[in-house]
Amino acid sequence: MPVGTLANVKTLTPAQLQETGAQMILSNTYHLHLQPGEAIVAAAGGLHKFMGWNNPILTDSGGFQVFSLREIRKISDEGVTFRSPHDGQIIKLTPEKCIEIQNALGADVIMAFDECPPYPASRQQVEVATERTYRWLERCMTAHQRRDQALFAIVQGGVHLDLRSRAAAQLSQLDLPGYAIGGVSVGEPPELIHHIVQATAPLLPHHKPRYLMGVGTYREIVVAIASGVDLFDCVIPTRWARHGTAMVQGQRWNLKNARFREDFTPLDATCPCYSCQHFTRAYISHLVRAQEILAYTLLSIHNITEIIRFTQKIRNAIMRGTFATEFAHWLVPQEVESKT
Ligand SMILES: [Zn+2]
């Protein structure tokens, strides 16, 4: 899922986004609550109509964003109180409020409100957050009013596999339509992320969608899929695009590099995207150097297409029964692109 935090995937129109092959996108409850507010989105007829995207949307609960704020005033069983980074106003977010906002936004999949502990954190702090996340999930289920929206649970537990395992067992009993692994990719080393995912994903119901939140470089995707994960969201393809970086067949290219100045071939001759069909590396390199907005659009189109094609190749390999052999080289520990 490409990330469209503020009801848009940066620099792309919905038509351009659809052409990349993306089927579902992610938007964010916390950010849309602050700006423009769920009342405006609801008055527009819901998030799909408001942003002109007729395909599935998932809204993240905002737990991750709220707990990343320095301006947290108070965390209690009731909820979280914090100061809005926009206007300094004091805002209180509870599980009930989070679901009320998501019911108003109207995404197809909504996420339970969770406490995402930082990394590193003490085991006790993680344990408290994990247990609170479970109690909050029960309140989210009670508050949830729209049966046309699927509510997903989030497994927390930090780097403690026993806490993750206990949370996964508790949540699985609630028979929700989908399950997410949260609280990863919050600063841990890549190999630790893989260890957590490999241990947690198999514990979640196999017949339900399993979603790894906020993760999505090439190798992370392969490791997670090998563990049973179905869904991902990640800002990397679009964020890197805005930094002038192209994702090409598992590599990462900085288009400012001198070698692209007079390279009149497409980014990737095998890529069917609009950017590769119409433009050269030299042209995109020129746009990046000149800081033209079109550079970011063309790179976003290509990068999203690239990562979607990568997952399509994995899906085809799974269907053929050749995933384990074809993608084995990705599972060997190597130098991994960090989340930037
Ligand atoms: Zn392309």
Side-chain angles (χ1 to χ4, degrees):
M1 294 178 286
V3 176
T5 302
L6 276 169
N8 81 114
V9 174
K10 289 187 196 304
T11 77
L12 298 183
T13 66
Q16 290 168 327
L17 187 55
Q18 186 145 10
E19 267 195 33
T20 65
Q23 295 173 11
M24 184 170 186
I25 60 166
L26 177 137
S27 198
N28 190 273
T29 302
Y30 161 77
H31 288 286
L32 291 176
H33 174 61
L34 295 183
Q35 188 182 23
E38 62 276 13
I40 286 178
V41 176
L47 197 48
H48 299 81
K49 277 196 177 155
F50 186 54
M51 66 180 290
W53 179 253
N54 298 321
N55 298 307
I57 304 174
L58 177 148
T59 40
D60 188 0
S61 65
F64 175 77
Q65 284 74 23
V66 169
F67 287 101
S68 312
L69 289 174
R70 286 208 193 95
E71 294 285 319
I72 290 191
R73 310 268 292 190
K74 192 175 149 213
I75 304 170
S76 68
D77 262 10
E78 174 60 17
V80 188
T81 311
F82 58 98
R83 197 177 276 282
S84 162
H86 285 272
D87 55 11
Q89 198 188 327
I90 301 288
I91 297 177
K92 186 172 186 182
L93 216 46
T94 62
E96 290 78 11
K97 181 68 184 170
C98 173
I99 296 298
E100 183 191 318
I101 298 168
Q102 293 190 85
N103 283 168
L105 293 173
D108 305 274
V109 176
I110 66 174
M111 302 303 299
F113 191 57
D114 59 328
E115 180 173 349
C116 184
Y119 174 83
S122 73
R123 183 189 158 90
Q124 195 210 357
Q125 194 182 354
V126 177
E127 192 161 11
V128 167
T130 307
E131 286 170 4
R132 185 175 280 146
T133 295
Y134 181 73
R135 292 194 296 276
W136 282 358
L137 171 64
E138 292 183 311
R139 282 164 58 191
C140 287
M141 291 171 72
T142 307
H144 184 29
Q145 295 294 320
R146 285 182 57 169
R147 296 303 130 191
D148 60 333
Q149 294 180 299
L151 172 66
F152 281 21
I154 303 175
V155 174
Q156 289 289 350
V159 297
H160 306 283
L161 298 186
D162 60 319
L163 297 182
R164 292 229 173 234
S165 153
R166 197 197 305 163
Q170 276 183 322
L171 299 175
S172 299
Q173 284 182 359
L174 297 175
D175 195 28
L176 284 152
Y179 289 88
I181 302 171
V184 290
S185 205
V186 291
E188 326 87 305
E191 291 313 315
L192 194 49
I193 296 177
H194 298 160
H195 189 52
I196 295 165
V197 173
Q198 283 165 336
T200 310
L203 304 176
L204 297 170
H206 293 199
H207 59 297
K208 303 278 178 74
R210 287 175 277 181
Y211 162 31
L212 179 58
M213 305 180 78
V215 167
T217 60
Y218 292 101
R219 179 159 179 259
E220 288 170 340
I221 286 177
V222 177
V223 169
I225 289 177
S227 311
V229 172
D230 306 288
L231 276 169
F232 309 86
D233 74 276
C234 191
V235 297
I236 281 179
T238 44
R239 184 174 291 169
W240 283 1
R242 296 196 306 282
H243 289 133
T245 298
M247 301 169 77
V248 181
Q249 301 202 11
Q251 296 175 352
R252 181 180 170 179
W253 293 351
N254 179 352
L255 268 294
K256 281 188 192 155
N257 194 303
R259 71 185 164 113
F260 297 117
R261 282 194 99 129
E262 295 179 54
D263 185 340
F264 301 104
T265 60
L267 283 176
D268 178 350
T270 71
C271 177
C273 88
Y274 173 77
S275 308
C276 291
Q277 292 300 310
H278 294 85
F279 305 100
T280 61
R281 296 172 187 177
Y283 179 63
I284 297 173
S285 173
H286 153 67
L287 293 179
V288 169
R289 289 160 192 276
Q291 298 184 320
E292 284 293 324
I293 290 167
L294 184 58
Y296 314 127
T297 299
L298 295 180
L299 285 170
S300 293
I301 288 173
H302 169 76
N303 286 356
I304 294 176
T305 305
E306 161 74 5
I307 209 76
I308 298 278
R309 284 173 78 218
F310 185 66
T311 55
Q312 283 167 344
K313 284 175 199 159
I314 294 175
R315 189 185 304 137
N316 293 340
I318 292 171
M319 305 287 260
R320 284 195 300 270
T322 55
F323 171 65
T325 47
E326 270 186 69
F327 287 84
H329 61 285
W330 286 102
L331 299 173
V332 181
Q334 55 187 265
E335 199 185 327
V336 181
E337 317 99 315
S338 62
K339 186 173 174 176
T340 52

